[in-house]
Amino acid sequence: DRLEGALSWSLSPSVSVRVGQESHHWGRGARSLFLDRHMAPALGARLWVDAGIVQYAQALIRTRHVQADTVETGWLAAQWTEVALGRGWSGALFGAVKWRGNDAAFQGRIEPHYLIPMAAFRPREYSLGSADNALLGAQLSHQSRWRRGQRVTAYGQVLLDELLVSKLLERNGWWGNKYGLLGGLLWTTKWGGWRLEGSAVRPWTYSHYTPTRAYLNGLTPLAHPLGANFVEGSFQGHWTQDSWTVTARVTHSLRGDDAAGDQPTGS
């Protein structure tokens, strides 16, 4: 069952807080390598700050994980900082840490170090000496306006889970390099528009040897719905005239998986 609902408070014209159980989508694409609209709804709270050229979001999200006959709790802290760079350019940095709620030494832990606004997650996770699952990434986009109401937006995302640059040029590829790439082009006009988008994620990205630290909620990924070990391309467009609207979407994807289900494939 998918139950969604939320309450929002505007503390000032530039600060708001939102609490509820819902899906999240952070990014300009139809898909996102960070938080995607296809994720299962999760209980959480979000802080949003709009300071003009700088926009900041921070969220604390509770995730649920089925383990045999029990349901374990996991937590996700996520933050997003976007800056208007001028001349239609915009850049964003984002990060997330996923940790388990219960362990032998603690029960229901909400790590306070990850709740400090405007502080990088990866250095904090490293300084704590923890085994939590930390990810980081960036987004770059450019928007241009043409005549007759036309607008073109180009955007790209890169997500890093683990990366060892010296291993990138190896012929067979090192399984431990885990990252994702996404790029797209959006063209909108008065009569409609179209979007062309592609994405690819390396095997084992988002994964963790502790299931409650994996980048999941229930049985669904928190990011791209294909998870990892895939390449996807899509085209979607819509046309509107008077009371008629025509919409089309074509998606083609390749995903590495094991049909028998008895071998790990990094998906």
Side-chain angles (χ1 to χ4, degrees), residues 145-151 190:
R145 296 180 181 272
W146 296 356
R147 294 180 299 174
R148 300 179 181 178
Q150 300 182 63
R151 184 171 59 190
K190 294 181 179 180

Side-chain angles (χ1 to χ4, degrees), residues 45-47 56-61 75-79 97 99 109-121 124 128:
R46 189 194 71 180
L47 170 69
Y56 175 77
Q58 182 163 357
L60 177 65
I61 299 173
W75 292 96
L76 173 76
Q79 61 181 2
V97 176
W99 72 92
R109 174 177 68 122
I110 298 180
E111 180 57 65
H113 296 84
Y114 299 143
L115 304 182
I116 302 174
M118 301 294 288
F121 285 144
R124 275 180 286 171
L128 290 172

Side-chain angles (χ1 to χ4, degrees), residues 196-245:
L196 185 66
E197 186 173 293
S199 55
V201 176
R202 286 265 300 174
W204 309 110
T205 306
Y206 308 111
S207 65
H208 200 276
Y209 64 87
T210 304
T212 47
R213 292 190 176 106
Y215 210 66
L216 300 168
N217 178 38
L219 299 178
T220 66
L222 292 170
H224 196 294
L226 288 181
N229 198 12
F230 73 87
V231 177
E232 181 189 65
S234 67
F235 172 84
Q236 63 183 37
H238 69 278
W239 173 81
T240 301
Q241 182 67 39
D242 298 329
S243 59
W244 289 93
T245 298

Side-chain angles (χ1 to χ4, degrees), residues 106-179:
F106 52 78
Q107 297 292 319
R109 174 177 68 122
I110 298 180
E111 180 57 65
H113 296 84
Y114 299 143
L115 304 182
I116 302 174
M118 301 294 288
F121 285 144
R122 176 78 74 164
R124 275 180 286 171
E125 189 268 343
Y126 182 79
S127 65
L128 290 172
S130 72
D132 297 333
N133 190 8
L135 304 99
L136 56 88
Q139 176 180 278
L140 183 66
S141 64
H142 180 265
Q143 186 178 97
S144 59
R145 296 180 181 272
W146 296 356
R147 294 180 299 174
R148 300 179 181 178
Q150 300 182 63
R151 184 171 59 190
V152 177
T153 303
Y155 56 88
Q157 273 187 355
V158 57
L159 176 121
L160 301 178
D161 190 347
E162 300 289 346
L163 181 65
L164 188 58
V165 177
S166 62
K167 297 285 189 178
L168 284 177
L169 300 181
E170 287 190 356
R171 176 176 299 180
N172 295 327
W174 183 51
W175 71 270
N177 274 333
K178 300 178 289 183
Y179 55 85

Side-chain angles (χ1 to χ4, degrees), residues 1-66:
D1 297 327
R2 295 176 68 98
L3 176 64
E4 298 199 35
L7 294 174
S8 297
W9 294 271
S10 295
L11 305 180
S12 73
S14 59
V15 179
S16 64
V17 176
R18 185 178 181 91
V19 177
Q21 177 164 296
E22 56 185 338
S23 303
H24 300 268
H25 188 91
W26 291 13
R28 297 195 183 278
R31 305 288 203 197
S32 175
L33 301 181
F34 188 37
L35 289 173
D36 189 272
R37 58 174 55 89
H38 288 88
M39 63 173 281
L43 183 65
R46 189 194 71 180
L47 170 69
W48 174 256
V49 179
D50 186 351
I53 63 174
V54 178
Q55 296 181 334
Y56 175 77
Q58 182 163 357
L60 177 65
I61 299 173
R62 186 193 70 174
T63 59
R64 308 291 277 169
H65 306 266
V66 178

